[in-house]
Amino acid sequence: MTTSLVTGGAGFIGSHVAKNCLRLGHHVIVLDDLSGGFQINVPDGAAFVQGSLEDEELLDDLFKRYRFDYIYHLAAYAAEGLSHFIRCYNYNTNLIGSAKLINKAIEHHVKCFVFTSSIAVYGRNQLPMREDMTPMPEDPYGIAKYAVELDLNSANLIFGLNSIIFRPHNVYGENQNIGDKYRNVIGIFMNQIMKKEEITIFGDGEQTRAFSYIGDVAPIIAKSVNFPAAYNKTFNIGASKPYSVNCLAHLIAQEFGTIASIRHEKPRIEAQHAFSDHVKAKSYFGEIGETSIQEGIRLMANWAKSVGAKSSKKFKKIEVMENLPEIWQTASD
């Protein structure tokens, strides 16, 4: 039987990838430290291990015990905007932890290492963003993700470790941590509406993103290891049609049967527009589903209503307070 390790499998994208790996017949081991995920997200049938990528003794034990065929590495703290203010935490969590996992994959001759990077690696590149462009990340989160991509390329050159790199973008859906006020804009908006608060938007809200439903993204990541031609290649994955954040807020409010009450905060330094080309992914994996934004929001809203609003806590490891947005300085929501 195929045995796969899914890091971050109690988190958002990771839990959906783990579920899809189970559907493919994999024996799935989920490793998660629960710093941003929840054990309830781990799909039935997967073995759950609570632990950190920083724990090399634990990694040694897992690799020796299970002899993994594949690694799906989704563990990360994906707060792109906040990463400017948590540099050390960002690099320790998203880069150093990844390097330790890559070492183990090399030592134990893993067949393929699947890594979820981000379109944050592109920075302010021309649109649509394509895989043949030179990445120019502008924030520590994107820098960390691109560094892992480069490290995987090096590991293949020197040790023959195969990898597949995905660059998803603005993924949303069930199991997202709607109580994290620093990331996942759709979850933030839904949580604010359920708490009868104003929707907060950085800047004028005319920045656009191609919001991607998890049900279209996770199955491709899970089954990618069955496509040897995709090994050692990089793929954008997600929706193609961009929407403004203002439009998004009104669509979400409508799904909750209310009118959006919006408060605009000071703008952040971020790309005004970000969406990518997916021709390459389709050429390797075939047609990829693209759930409409209206249907995806409906599905996520139904789930959010069932779990209810969540409290938002201040991130306790902020390293630089200068220029930190005021909304992030409050102790709680």
Side-chain angles (χ1 to χ4, degrees):
M1 177 182 286
T2 298
T3 303
S4 296
L5 173 67
V6 180
T7 70
F12 169 44
I13 300 180
S15 64
H16 286 271
V17 170
K19 180 173 65 176
N20 279 275
C21 285
L22 288 167
R23 289 173 176 169
L24 293 170
H26 295 203
H27 179 210
V28 175
I29 313 301
V30 165
L31 175 64
D32 199 298
D33 65 4
L34 301 183
S35 60
F38 304 92
Q39 191 169 345
I40 194 173
N41 290 344
V42 178
D44 292 339
F48 173 65
V49 177
Q50 184 174 350
S52 169
L53 294 177
E54 297 292 311
D55 189 342
E56 294 188 56
E57 185 175 339
L58 173 61
L59 289 181
D60 276 332
D61 177 67
L62 290 176
F63 274 82
K64 290 175 182 176
R65 188 193 318 174
Y66 292 107
R67 301 182 182 276
F68 299 115
D69 296 292
Y70 303 113
I71 305 297
Y72 294 85
H73 181 32
L74 297 105
Y77 187 59
E80 187 175 350
L82 186 63
S83 69
H84 293 284
F85 308 95
I86 55 169
R87 274 182 159 76
C88 294
Y89 181 86
N90 168 72
Y91 291 125
N92 282 327
T93 301
N94 296 338
L95 177 54
I96 303 303
S98 300
K100 291 182 178 181
L101 188 63
I102 292 170
N103 279 345
K104 297 306 174 187
I106 292 168
E107 292 172 13
H108 293 270
H109 305 287
V110 165
K111 295 177 183 177
C112 188
F113 188 111
V114 181
F115 175 58
T116 52
S117 182
S118 168
I119 67 164
V121 304
Y122 289 114
R124 296 172 188 266
N125 247 308
Q126 67 186 61
L127 300 171
M129 297 165 175
R130 302 188 315 273
E131 297 89 342
D132 59 358
M133 293 176 174
T134 300
M136 296 183 292
E138 295 184 326
D139 56 73
Y141 175 70
I143 292 168
K145 286 292 189 179
Y146 188 44
V148 177
E149 290 189 18
L150 294 174
D151 194 70
L152 284 169
N153 291 336
S154 176
N156 174 253
L157 179 65
I158 303 301
F159 303 105
L161 175 66
N162 291 316
S163 66
I164 301 174
I165 295 167
F166 286 100
R167 293 172 177 165
H169 51 92
N170 302 100
V171 185
Y172 69 96
E174 301 87 336
N175 293 359
Q176 198 162 57
N177 184 357
I178 61 175
D180 189 335
K181 64 180 180 181
Y182 302 102
R183 55 179 176 166
N184 307 325
V185 64
I186 291 180
I188 291 172
F189 288 179
M190 288 186 178
N191 204 41
Q192 290 174 327
I193 290 172
M194 288 191 293
K195 294 172 72 174
K196 302 188 184 304
E197 297 175 347
E198 290 180 307
I199 293 174
T200 54
I201 294 177
F202 290 104
D204 63 8
E206 288 306 299
Q207 59 268 44
T208 60
R209 300 290 185 269
F211 300 99
S212 309
Y213 181 62
I214 185 63
D216 300 326
V217 172
I220 303 300
I221 295 174
K223 73 178 184 179
S224 65
V225 296
N226 296 328
F227 293 77
Y231 285 15
N232 306 308
K233 293 180 174 62
T234 299
F235 302 94
N236 295 329
I237 187 167
S240 300
K241 185 175 181 180
Y243 290 84
S244 73
V245 175
N246 285 329
C247 177
L248 179 72
H250 290 290
L251 287 172
I252 294 172
Q254 181 179 338
E255 192 59 47
F256 280 83
T258 188
I259 297 174
S261 176
I262 298 173
R263 184 177 80 249
H264 291 275
E265 301 285 340
K266 292 180 180 179
R268 299 183 305 181
I269 297 176
E270 61 179 337
Q272 182 70 5
H273 305 289
F275 59 94
S276 61
D277 177 272
H278 305 105
V279 170
K280 185 177 179 181
K282 291 177 182 178
S283 70
Y284 280 82
F285 305 115
E287 281 303 311
I288 299 172
E290 190 160 334
T291 302
S292 71
I293 188 72
Q294 293 84 0
E295 175 66 5
I297 287 175
R298 184 187 68 80
L299 291 169
M300 183 177 173
N302 288 339
W303 166 81
K305 293 171 188 176
S306 72
V307 300
K310 303 296 181 182
S311 60
S312 300
K313 298 180 180 179
K314 183 178 179 180
F315 190 86
K316 295 181 179 179
K317 298 182 179 180
I318 292 176
E319 300 153 16
V320 178
M321 295 298 296
E322 185 174 348
N323 295 333
L324 182 71
E326 184 177 348
I327 193 173
W328 288 347
Q329 296 180 30
T330 56
S332 67
D333 287 342

